Amino acid sequence: MSRNNWLKTSMILCALLLQAACGGGGGGGGDAGGGTVAGPFALAGQVEGLLGSGLAVQDGLGNTLSIPGGATSFAFNSGSPYLATGAVFDLQVQSQPTGQVCVFTNGSGVAKVNMGAIKINCATVGLTTASLSESQLQWRVQTPIQVNLKSEAGQTIGGKLTCQSTNLEALEVASDCSWAKALRLGNYTISVLSSAGHAANANVSQIPQRHALPATSQAANLFAVNPSQGTALLWGSGAMGKLAQFDANIPNSDSPKPLVGQLFVANFNTIRLNTVSLALGSPSASSLALSEAGEVVSWGGDGTTLGRTVTAGVSTGKVITATDNVALKNMVQVQAGQKNAAALRDDGRVYSWGLANGSGQGLSGLNSVNANVVMVGPNTPLTAVVQISAGDNYTLALTASGEVYVWGSNQGLKLPNAEGSVVAQYAYATPINDPLTKTPLQNVVSISAGSTHALALTAQGNVLAWGNNQFGQLGRGNTFSNVNSGFEPGWVKAPLLQGGNLNNIKAIAAGQNHNLALTNNGSIVSWGPVSNPQLGWGSKTIDRGDLPSFVVNATDTSTLANIVAISATATNSYALTSKGEVLSWGYNYSGALGLGVLFTELAQAVKPQNVVSGNESGTLSVGDMSQFKNLNQRYR
């Protein structure tokens, strides 16, 4: 369409809509030019400085408008052209014109009388440069940023800045440049425009979240990630190649050792230096590492969950897809259970592999070691997932709407289905229902899968538990032997003398038969098998583990404090302090406590102890704590 025809169409449209501001193209609503029209409102306004072609904008209602070069006004005239009084609108630039940056003024808000005039301001990208205070954004974490705009001479350009994402599906950015949020992995661009008309693009790399410790693990060993050194450290059992040291019979490690290995022909060091998190399965399962690029590497175990076409799992290698035999890409989380493993992609799809459905693959009777998309039914993939967690042969998934799904074995959980029957397995991802409403659980912000029980944290800071209650791991003040219905979700109760339900919780971790919960003030409560040291109750005399009690400090003189993250494994507990130090307590099988001694020298620790450094000369530290953007592993 020519410029004259475009202007003619805009003026006709505005006249039809009785837009007071149409004559000059400056309107942004029924009365943006000073009129008294109360609605309906048109999405229309001025365009300033647009030179070339390529500018496209979205109206937030599913409509896209291409604006030709040289245009001085715009108006949406298809789809939903009118907005009723009080309607919310959100105009966004979908694509930028060649060599220019365009941003909206008053592009979002509520349709009302005397609302601000909508305008698109365009400026030519010259030698001005823009940079961000954060060179990397972590997936789904809204991160505060500072944008620095500099001239060709290197001088800082002051004044008001306006920011706009160049890819709305991959990156969210506040229009005032105060924060950004990664929705996809990769390298993306933020367009920046100053109030004086300077324009530039700022580049940002988007990676999975970094986690210093796993929230939950069924393994007899553990890891810690140090992003400052670019390494992942493992300690504990070395059986079946679990320490990724090429040798299935490597001795157990009583202190942290760097993750090494071989990636096909290339040296695995190039991958491990970019490790953001690991997942350690049960002793017979494979372990998984996730890189900044979103690739998954597996090693160890009996080969069932390696996710590649090999049967022995000592050396490392990439997990591949079953459909096209290429490496998994754009993954943001990994989880390993017993005969089941899973990875979450940045678009909310889940890949699962291992044995057939009875062992948690969540497909449709397939028996494969390659990755396949998890389904909620025939030909219907599970979508919008923000967190996954793996237990013994079953897997949980949390969606962006706060619902929880489960697939795989139901032998331990014994969750009743919608008809009230307890089935042996879930062949497809199935929602977990509220036992009262019989509708899916709502408002969950984090999940954690234990061996045969599970936890969910709500936005209000309460904890739900369901599954096996043989050792009181549901925290309801009873065990399996004296409760009629312990399998459905129910509230974990508060410590004995407090009464009511557990509250003010910000993180959860489910182990094999015990649990940890981190309070808002940095202390930890635990519950489960009363006689086991992983509860961390020190010398306290407590005759029941079916209610939470506070973990003691290293001297057994008060409650443990200043904790920012927690982790529960098969027979151990771990915590990360605000200083970045790692604490451990529980059984020391295979040196799993990381204290520099093996089981023959120290069988257990009933109170937290500092994990030693790799050379056993000091305390292990995960380094720069600011690199961990979601220590509590909350995903909504």
Side-chain angles (χ1 to χ4, degrees), residues 349-491:
R349 297 284 183 94
V350 181
Y351 284 77
S352 182
W353 60 98
L355 290 184
N357 286 326
S359 291
Q361 196 173 353
L363 303 169
S364 56
L366 297 177
N367 202 338
S368 170
V369 296
N370 292 330
N372 295 272
V373 177
V374 171
M375 313 292 281
V376 294
N379 303 316
T380 307
L382 179 64
T383 59
V385 173
V386 295
Q387 184 191 7
I388 54 175
S389 186
D392 279 1
N393 299 329
Y394 75 95
T395 308
L396 300 176
L398 172 65
T399 69
S401 61
E403 297 180 353
V404 182
Y405 285 77
V406 62
W407 62 91
S409 174
N410 196 34
Q411 298 290 344
L413 293 176
K414 289 184 168 52
L415 278 170
N417 59 19
E419 291 73 35
S421 301
V422 176
V423 298
Q425 63 189 41
Y426 289 103
Y428 297 105
T430 303
I432 294 178
N433 288 333
D434 184 306
L436 298 179
T437 65
K438 304 303 180 184
T439 58
L441 291 178
Q442 299 290 323
N443 215 22
V444 174
V445 297
S446 182
I447 53 176
S448 186
S451 179
T452 55
H453 74 285
L455 303 178
L457 177 64
T458 70
Q460 293 75 27
N462 302 115
V463 180
L464 287 164
W466 62 93
N468 185 1
N469 195 38
Q470 182 180 0
F471 302 103
Q473 54 265 59
L474 300 190
R476 301 179 189 177
N478 50 43
T479 59
F480 179 80
S481 60
N482 60 5
V483 63
N484 293 326
S485 177
F487 301 117
E488 293 180 306
W491 298 112

Side-chain angles (χ1 to χ4, degrees), residues 31 55 77 82 85 165 204 298 321 324 418 437 463 480 570 621:
D31 62 333
L55 175 61
N77 59 356
Y82 298 98
T85 300
S165 169
V204 62
S298 63
T321 63
D324 49 15
T437 65
V463 180
F480 179 80
S621 174

Side-chain angles (χ1 to χ4, degrees), residues 96-179:
Q96 298 284 4
T98 303
Q100 286 193 289
V101 170
C102 299
V103 296
F104 272 100
T105 299
N106 297 323
S108 61
V110 177
K112 61 182 179 180
V113 176
N114 295 323
M115 68 182 186
I118 300 174
K119 184 183 294 185
I120 301 176
N121 299 291
C122 299
T124 300
V125 177
L127 297 177
T128 303
T129 60
S131 61
L132 303 181
S133 56
E134 298 282 340
S135 60
Q136 290 182 326
L137 297 177
Q138 296 182 27
W139 184 73
R140 289 190 64 86
V141 177
Q142 183 171 304
T143 305
I145 61 172
Q146 292 181 341
V147 179
N148 300 310
L149 203 61
K150 291 189 175 182
S151 66
E152 179 183 0
Q155 298 175 325
T156 299
I157 298 173
K160 180 182 178 181
L161 300 180
T162 303
C163 286
Q164 171 73 51
S165 169
T166 60
N167 188 322
L168 301 179
E169 291 185 353
L171 173 63
E172 290 182 4
V173 183
S175 59
D176 63 358
C177 306
S178 61
W179 58 264

Side-chain angles (χ1 to χ4, degrees), residues 31 100 124 295 301 311 327 471 558 574 600:
D31 62 333
Q100 286 193 289
T124 300
E295 292 187 324
T311 56
F471 302 103
S558 63
Y574 302 86
T600 53

